[in-house]
């Protein structure tokens, strides 16, 4: 309609969020399946227009909403190897069934706001081991992993996009592009109805650098970091955009005179 067209011109991501909530409202109200499917297709087509990192970096809680409403999706059959990857072992050597189990527990712990040292480090190590296998030969192992367990591979890509955004930022774009590609190839309801915590990770990624209100909207995610009030060993990774506590020397490394500012401007 003309109103929808104007809304997207004014605020495309805000319009996407409204359509997302409306789609799930139809699902909650028990609307006709055809109507819900058509609305979901519209939502997915809109989502595919924008890169994952752009959606995550916006102030609109789009991925947070996907994570919040994931319980509404009917779980796909546990007999489906495409989603559960039960008994799947291929050339990568990754035990996808075990990885699904530990990934689910890892996501639950991430959302619970545990103190440093609490929880099981084994969950994170299991995910790292799988990523290390892919890193040995990214092109070939990535292709094999996507063939063996596409939903599991999508989950690993989301975790690495989030990790790279906090540390090795030069690698973030490659992982984010992989997420975009796989998300566009897989049916939406297959991703949403699987037990892989992909939308939970995307919500975690989206909440980074947005302060306490955004992260606690996911439950207790990062609650330990906020409890420590900046003294937490991981607090630097979760600071908000305006939280850079720069010294005078960092703000003006070449001096506070016109020549110093000129050198900074030239480098910028």
């Amino acid at each position: 309609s003309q109103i929808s067209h104007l809304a997207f011109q004014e605020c495309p991501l805000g319009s996407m969020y409204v359509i997302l909530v409306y789609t799930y409202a139809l699902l909650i109200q028990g609307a006709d399946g055809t109507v819900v499917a058509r609305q979901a297709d519209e939502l997915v087509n809109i989502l595919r227009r924008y890169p994952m990192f752009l959606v995550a970096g916006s102030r609109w809680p789009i991925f947070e909403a996907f994570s919040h409403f994931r319980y509404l999706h009917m779980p796909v059959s546990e007999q489906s190897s495409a989603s559960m990857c039960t008994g799947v072992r291929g050339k990568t050597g990754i035990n996808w069934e075990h990885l699904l189990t530990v990934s689910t527990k890892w996501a639950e712990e991430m959302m619970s706001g545990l103190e440093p040292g609490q929880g099981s480090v084994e969950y994170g190590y299991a995910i790292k081991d799988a990523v290390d296998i892919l890193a040995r030969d990214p092109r070939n192992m990535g292709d094999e992993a996507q063939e063996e367990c596409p939903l599991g591979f999508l989950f690993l890509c989301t975790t690495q996009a989030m990790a790279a955004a906090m540390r090795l930022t030069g690698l973030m774009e490659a992982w984010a592009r992989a997420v975009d590609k796989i998300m566009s190839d897989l049916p939406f309801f297959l991703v949403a109805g699987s037990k892989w915590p992909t939308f939970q990770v995307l919500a975690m990624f989206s909440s980074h650098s947005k302060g306490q209100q955004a992260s606690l909207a996911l439950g207790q995610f990062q609650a330990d970091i906020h409890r420590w009030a900046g003294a937490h060993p991981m607090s630097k990774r979760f600071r908000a955009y305006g939280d850079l506590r720069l010294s005078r020397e960092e703000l003006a490394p070449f001096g506070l005179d016109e020549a110093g500012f000129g050198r900074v401007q030239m480098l910028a």
Side-chain angles (χ1 to χ4, degrees), residues 217-238:
L218 300 178
Q220 293 298 311
F221 181 54
Q222 300 179 8
D224 55 319
I225 300 203
H226 300 299
R227 283 196 298 268
W228 283 47
H232 192 282
M234 300 284 284
S235 60
K236 182 178 180 181
R237 297 186 182 181
F238 298 94

Side-chain angles (χ1 to χ4, degrees), residues 16 24 45 101 115 124 136 138 172 204 228 235 262-263:
M16 184 196 303
Y24 280 105
N45 289 333
T101 300
E115 289 292 322
R136 295 172 194 163
M172 198 278 285
M204 294 178 202
W228 283 47
S235 60
R263 291 186 64 184

